[in-house]
Amino acid sequence: MADIEPNFPDTDQATSKADARKAARKRGFLIFAGVVALVAAGVGIYEWIEGGRYVETDNAYVAAEVAQVTPLVAGPVRRVAVNNTQVVRKGDVLVELDPTDAKIALAAAEADYADALRKVRQTIATGTALSAQVGEKQADIARMTAQVQVAMADVQRAEIDLKRRQSLVGDGAVSGEELTTARNAYASAQGQLAAARANLAAAQAARGTANGQEAANAALVTGTTPETNPQVLAAKARLDQARINLDRTVIRAPVSGVVTQRTVQVGQSVAVGSPMMTIVPISQAYVDANYKESQLAHVRPGQPVTLTSDLYGDDVVYHGRVVGFSGGTGSALAVIPAQNATGNWIKVVQRLPVRVALDPHELGAHPLRIGLSMDATIDTRPEKDRSQTGQN
C-alpha cells in the first residue's frame, strides 16, 4: 500500500497571513520612521534657518507709570467722587476738601493786595507834595538871601554913619547922644544881619531835609507803576497763591485711567502729600520682559515683538516694539543684592528686563492691567529680511 502525504491547507494559509501581517507591520514602521525622519529634518531645517532669529520668554509682565493722587493743601475731606475700579478721565473731580479756610485766606490776601496798592499810590502822591515842598524851601532860601543882602547894606550904612560921627566928635559938631544913637544903629544892623544869615542857614537846612525826603520817597516808586511796585507784586503773589490753594481744594485726576488703592474717606483730615488713591493709566501700559542674558545677543531697540496674554489667550495677539534695556539685572537692582564674592559661588543665568511698548489701538480694543503675565517673542532678524517677508 502506497504512502499518502498528508495535506494541511489551513496551516499554510495561516503562515501566509502571518507573513503578510509582519510585512505590513514592517512597512508601517518604515513609513512611521520615514515620517519621523522627515519631521525631524523639517524641524532641523527650520531651526537652522530660523534658529536664533526669534527669542521668547514667558517671564514678562504688564506695567505702567501709575499716578499717585496726593493733596497739595491740607484740610478735611468733604466729598469723595470715585471708587476703586472706576474709570476716570484726566481732569475729572476725585476729591473735594472743605474750602472754608482757603476762602478766608483768599479774602485776607485780597485785602493785603488792595492795601499795598493804596500805600503805593499814597507814596506817589507824597512824592508830588515833597517836590512842592522842595520848591517852597528854595523860594525861602532866595528870600532869606535877599534879606541877608539888605542886612549887609544896613550894616555898611550904619558903619559909615558911625565913623563919620566919630570923626566929628572932636570938633564938637556931634553930641554924645547922637554918637550913642549911631553906635546903637550899627549894633542893631549887625544883629539883623546875623539873624538874616541864621534864617538863610535854616532855610538851606530845610531844603536839604526836603530833598532827602523827596529822594527817599522817590526810591520807593521810581521806575515802577502802582501795579509793578515790588510791594504790590509781593502782595499779588500772595493773592495768587491763595487763589491756587482754594482751587487745590478740588483734587482732579492727573491722568486718565482706573482708580485703585483708594484710602481716603469723607471727614478724614488729610495732610499735604498723604496718599489718597492711585490711578493706573491702562492706555499707556507697557511690558517688561525678563530675558535670559544668553538670549539678548541680537536684540536691539526698535525690533518688533509679538505678545500674548494669559488674560485673553492665544486668540488675541499684541504687537509692540523694543524700547530699551534696563540698567541692571533684577538681582543687581534688588533691595538686597546677591553677594557673589564668596568661595561658594555658583553661576546662575541672569535675566535683564527689556521694555516693550505696546500698540495703543490694540490696548484700547483689549485692555490690560498691570501685573498680568505675558508671553513675548522678539523678531531679531535684520530689517531688510522682515521687509521681504512682510513682517516689519
Side-chain angles (χ1 to χ4, degrees):
M1 185 174 180
D3 294 335
I4 300 175
E5 295 181 358
N7 188 6
F8 302 102
D10 293 340
T11 304
D12 294 340
Q13 188 176 5
T15 302
S16 298
K17 289 182 178 180
D19 292 340
R21 284 196 298 271
K22 289 180 180 180
R25 188 179 300 111
K26 184 176 181 181
R27 285 195 301 271
F29 279 123
L30 291 175
I31 293 173
F32 177 76
V35 171
V36 171
L38 287 175
V39 171
V43 172
I45 293 172
Y46 177 81
E47 289 296 329
W48 180 73
I49 295 175
E50 300 292 340
R53 293 187 174 183
Y54 296 94
V55 291
E56 60 182 13
T57 183
D58 59 359
N59 189 353
Y61 304 94
V62 180
E65 301 297 335
V66 300
Q68 190 174 61
V69 179
T70 60
L72 298 177
V73 293
V77 177
R78 186 172 69 174
R79 184 172 78 95
V80 180
V82 295
N83 293 309
N84 284 331
T85 72
Q86 183 172 337
V87 177
V88 296
R89 301 183 65 84
K90 182 178 180 180
D92 289 351
V93 176
L94 303 178
V95 180
E96 291 182 7
L97 304 181
D98 188 345
T100 303
D101 293 339
K103 288 181 178 179
I104 294 174
L106 176 60
E110 288 175 342
D112 291 342
Y113 176 66
D115 185 58
L117 273 175
R118 179 185 61 80
K119 288 181 178 178
V120 170
R121 293 189 178 115
Q122 182 180 6
T123 302
I124 294 175
T126 301
T128 303
L130 290 175
S131 179
Q133 289 181 10
V134 170
E136 182 181 352
K137 299 304 179 184
Q138 188 63 39
D140 290 342
I141 290 174
R143 186 172 64 254
M144 297 304 174
T145 301
Q147 290 179 359
V148 168
Q149 291 174 351
V150 171
M152 290 176 63
D154 290 343
V155 169
Q156 291 176 355
R157 186 169 49 253
E159 183 179 10
I160 293 171
D161 184 60
L162 176 60
K163 289 180 179 179
R164 186 173 60 250
R165 292 181 185 279
Q166 285 177 343
S167 63
L168 296 174
V169 171
D171 298 336
V174 176
S175 63
E177 184 178 353
E178 289 178 338
L179 181 59
T180 300
T181 300
R183 287 175 177 171
N184 292 337
Y186 176 66
S188 177
Q190 285 182 325
Q192 292 177 357
L193 175 60
R197 286 174 173 170
N199 291 335
L200 176 60
Q204 290 174 338
R207 184 188 62 179
T209 301
N211 284 336
Q213 292 175 347
E214 183 185 25
N217 188 84
L220 299 175
V221 295
T222 299
T224 64
T225 64
E227 288 73 19
T228 60
N229 185 271
Q231 294 180 351
V232 175
L233 290 177
K236 181 65 165 52
R238 292 191 292 270
L239 175 59
D240 292 340
Q241 184 63 58
R243 287 173 176 165
I244 292 173
N245 289 342
L246 177 59
D247 184 65
R248 285 174 173 173
T249 58
V250 179
I251 302 171
R252 302 179 181 274
V255 295
S256 299
V258 178
V259 176
T260 59
Q261 296 180 324
R262 198 203 90 172
T263 59
V264 64
Q265 302 294 335
V266 174
Q268 177 182 353
S269 182
V270 295
V272 175
S274 58
M276 304 175 72
M277 65 186 69
T278 300
I279 297 180
V280 180
I282 57 176
S283 62
Q284 303 174 20
Y286 54 83
V287 171
D288 281 333
N290 303 299
Y291 282 93
K292 296 178 181 179
E293 54 188 323
S294 56
Q295 295 178 291
L296 299 177
H298 304 291
V299 177
R300 301 289 184 271
Q303 292 174 340
V305 186
T306 56
L307 308 100
T308 57
S309 169
D310 293 348
L311 178 64
Y312 299 106
D314 296 337
D315 294 336
V316 177
V317 178
Y318 296 89
H319 298 84
R321 291 275 177 179
V322 175
V323 175
F325 305 89
S326 174
T329 64
S331 61
L333 298 178
V335 177
I336 304 178
Q339 296 296 323
N340 296 328
T342 65
N344 297 325
W345 177 73
I346 298 175
K347 182 176 180 179
V348 177
V349 177
Q350 300 297 310
R351 290 183 179 267
L352 186 70
V354 177
R355 178 66 56 87
V356 178
L358 299 176
D359 186 338
H361 296 94
E362 295 177 349
L363 275 176
H366 299 90
L368 296 171
R369 299 295 188 269
I370 60 174
L372 292 179
S373 299
M374 302 286 287
D375 292 335
T377 302
I378 302 176
D379 185 353
T380 64
R381 293 179 299 171
E383 185 176 356
K384 61 180 181 179
D385 293 346
R386 296 197 300 271
S387 300
Q388 292 175 357
T389 58
Q391 297 180 0
N392 189 18

